[in-house]
Amino acid sequence: MRNAMKLPNGFVVTTDNAGGIGEKQADVVYAPNHVVSYFAARVALLEQWAANAQVQSVIIHNFSGEAAWQAYMDGVKHLFEEVDLGQILIGGSSETNMELLQSAMSVTMIGNSKEVVDCDVSWFIYGQPCVGSEVLEHTKDIADLKKVKEAIDQGWVKKVWPVGSKGIQAEVGALFADDTIVVISELDVGKSAGPSTVVLLGVQLESVELASQYFGDEFRDLVV
């Protein structure tokens, strides 16, 4: 498990936020609000998958003004439609008393943990690290969550570990609880992967060749 919080009765809570990214004039990075919420939800969803949990509901915290609410909702719904998760309950709150100069929002997901049978896997890097405006400029290079979800459903991706702002090297150290591991790759393993544009995937041993063909050029060995 990565950054998920496990609660009694099998509940799992995950969250991600975005600040200074949006449609306000003072934002550091301009992006449509529905795109901002989509990528925040993407991270929270990956954290659910990393904890072997299934999402049940979503809470959106909106500090960008009432006008941003619907777009934030649309971005989260678009993600769920993309990965074929069906109807998920979405609620939340907007700050309407104070107007901020920059956009700010967060997405929190609540899910139920699933029972899983542990097995040996080979680990791979999927996607390229992108941050800020790079996320919008290099969409073909980032991990495709629809593909990840299909691989999970088909049973040959057994484990998921999203890579965030600390980069691939730091996440590998956390995954294996060993800070002495050095990742050697053509990728910049110290660079932020922003909204989890890189995902570490644990593939069952007999499905490695299939996974390599399925994920394509952005699928790389992680040798530890």
Side-chain angles (χ1 to χ4, degrees), residues 2-13:
R2 191 172 175 267
N3 290 329
M5 180 184 296
K6 285 197 172 183
L7 303 179
N9 300 318
F11 288 111
V12 175
V13 180

Side-chain angles (χ1 to χ4, degrees), residues 158-176:
K158 297 295 186 181
K159 298 181 181 181
V160 175
W161 192 276
V163 176
S165 60
K166 295 180 180 179
I168 296 170
Q169 178 64 71
E171 296 292 357
V172 169
L175 172 62
F176 293 98

Side-chain angles (χ1 to χ4, degrees), residues 113-216:
S113 59
K114 302 176 294 183
E115 290 188 9
V116 294
V117 177
D118 199 19
C119 65
D120 292 332
V121 297
S122 292
W123 284 94
F124 295 86
I125 301 169
Y126 177 42
Q128 291 192 30
C130 297
V131 65
S133 60
E134 294 175 341
V135 177
L136 303 180
E137 296 165 359
H138 303 283
T139 55
K140 293 183 179 180
D141 299 329
I142 69 178
D144 184 336
L145 260 60
K146 182 177 181 180
K147 282 192 169 186
V148 174
K149 176 64 163 49
E150 290 173 349
I152 293 171
D153 290 344
Q154 292 170 17
W156 37 273
V157 165
K158 297 295 186 181
K159 298 181 181 181
V160 175
W161 192 276
V163 176
S165 60
K166 295 180 180 179
I168 296 170
Q169 178 64 71
E171 296 292 357
V172 169
L175 172 62
F176 293 98
D178 186 351
D179 291 333
T180 67
I181 293 173
V182 177
V183 179
I184 300 175
S185 172
E186 72 269 26
L187 298 176
D188 184 347
V189 297
K191 180 180 177 180
S192 168
S196 296
T197 62
V198 175
V199 183
L200 305 180
L201 298 177
V203 180
Q204 64 179 4
L205 302 183
E206 59 268 31
S207 301
V208 168
E209 184 176 349
L210 175 62
S212 180
Q213 296 173 354
Y214 177 76
F215 287 111

